[in-house]
Amino acid sequence: MRYEIIGKNGFVATEAIKAYVVKKLDKIVNMFDVRVIDTVRVVLRVYKEYSKVEVTIPAPYIILRSEVRDADMYAAIDKSVDKLTAQIRRHKSKIRHHFERRGQEVFSTEFNLEAMDKEVKARQLVKSKKFSIKPMTVEDAIAQMELSGHDFFIFLDEKTNNPQIVYAREDGDYAVIEATPEIYK
């Protein structure tokens, strides 16, 4: 298990911050079987008014991710752990299903799924939309997104015909998520 703790925007992570990150995120990592998670990436940034913590935990079939801002770096780290825990609570059955379909165990033996079940509040789907997606360039998708007034737009890449999502970032720039089909064995 490896932690990648990176400081950006001139921030240098001290040993105390690194130890705090590892201590807090071990709670998340220990929920899973030891073979599931091998890397945790943490990016720490400091801005004038706030600190930002981005945590990415890639695992087979899932990626856990949180991005949190707070005036205090330690509080942002705590909120990131809370956000990741909430994601696991909300999606535990989906996560388990993906792994069990492939004959793998996802949660550690110490992880008490029944106790977590009692804490989960019911959520329900309140809206569903259908629309057709068309092949286009990223530039065309950004224009369509701006015209629609949304902060994301789904389209097919003009060259590969794979689905992609363009979205507006908080810093005012745009980003693209490229999806490629994965064939399961």
Side-chain angles (χ1 to χ4, degrees):
M1 204 359 251
R2 181 174 53 121
Y3 282 92
E4 294 176 7
I5 303 171
I6 301 161
K8 297 243 176 143
N9 287 15
F11 180 76
V12 177
T14 64
E15 289 305 314
I17 290 274
K18 288 179 181 179
Y20 191 76
V21 167
V22 169
K23 177 184 168 193
K24 289 298 189 171
L25 288 176
D26 271 348
K27 293 176 184 176
I28 300 295
V29 171
N30 290 335
M31 289 180 183
F32 294 91
D33 187 271
V34 293
R35 297 165 291 193
V36 173
I37 298 173
D38 61 352
T39 305
V40 175
R41 181 178 168 88
V42 181
V43 178
L44 307 168
R45 301 172 197 256
V46 175
Y47 296 94
K48 230 179 213 181
E49 291 95 26
Y50 60 88
S51 297
K52 184 175 178 182
V53 176
E54 299 171 19
V55 179
T56 306
I57 305 174
Y61 322 115
I62 60 167
I63 296 177
L64 298 171
R65 178 150 168 57
S66 74
E67 190 172 308
V68 175
R69 295 178 181 184
D70 196 276
D72 178 54
M73 179 65 74
Y74 288 95
I77 293 166
D78 290 341
K79 287 179 181 178
S80 287
V81 171
D82 292 344
K83 194 172 183 179
L84 290 167
T85 303
Q87 284 178 19
I88 294 167
R89 279 188 185 130
R90 269 195 317 271
H91 303 294
K92 70 186 173 337
S93 59
K94 289 180 188 176
I95 293 169
R96 177 188 258 178
H97 175 73
H98 281 295
F99 280 84
E100 286 179 350
R101 244 180 28 198
R102 290 158 188 86
Q104 295 176 312
E105 190 59 41
V106 63
F107 294 113
S108 70
T109 53
E110 293 84 34
F111 179 64
N112 189 344
L113 195 57
E114 289 74 30
M116 188 175 265
D117 277 338
K118 292 177 184 175
E119 295 178 31
V120 176
K121 295 180 182 172
R123 294 184 176 260
Q124 64 187 123
L125 182 66
V126 294
K127 187 175 183 180
S128 180
K129 260 187 179 178
K130 288 186 179 183
F131 62 95
S132 61
I133 56 177
K134 299 178 176 116
M136 60 180 67
T137 65
V138 173
E139 292 77 20
D140 291 339
I142 291 171
Q144 289 292 323
M145 177 184 66
E146 289 175 346
L147 288 171
S148 71
H150 293 291
D151 55 359
F152 70 94
F153 188 78
I154 303 169
F155 66 101
L156 294 175
D157 181 60
E158 194 172 62
K159 294 176 185 164
T160 64
N161 222 26
N162 287 336
Q164 295 189 357
I165 301 169
V166 65
Y167 63 95
R169 295 170 38 104
E170 291 178 4
D171 61 8
D173 290 334
Y174 298 104
V176 174
I177 298 173
E178 298 179 28
T180 55
E182 183 175 324
I183 300 172
Y184 297 104
K185 297 179 183 179

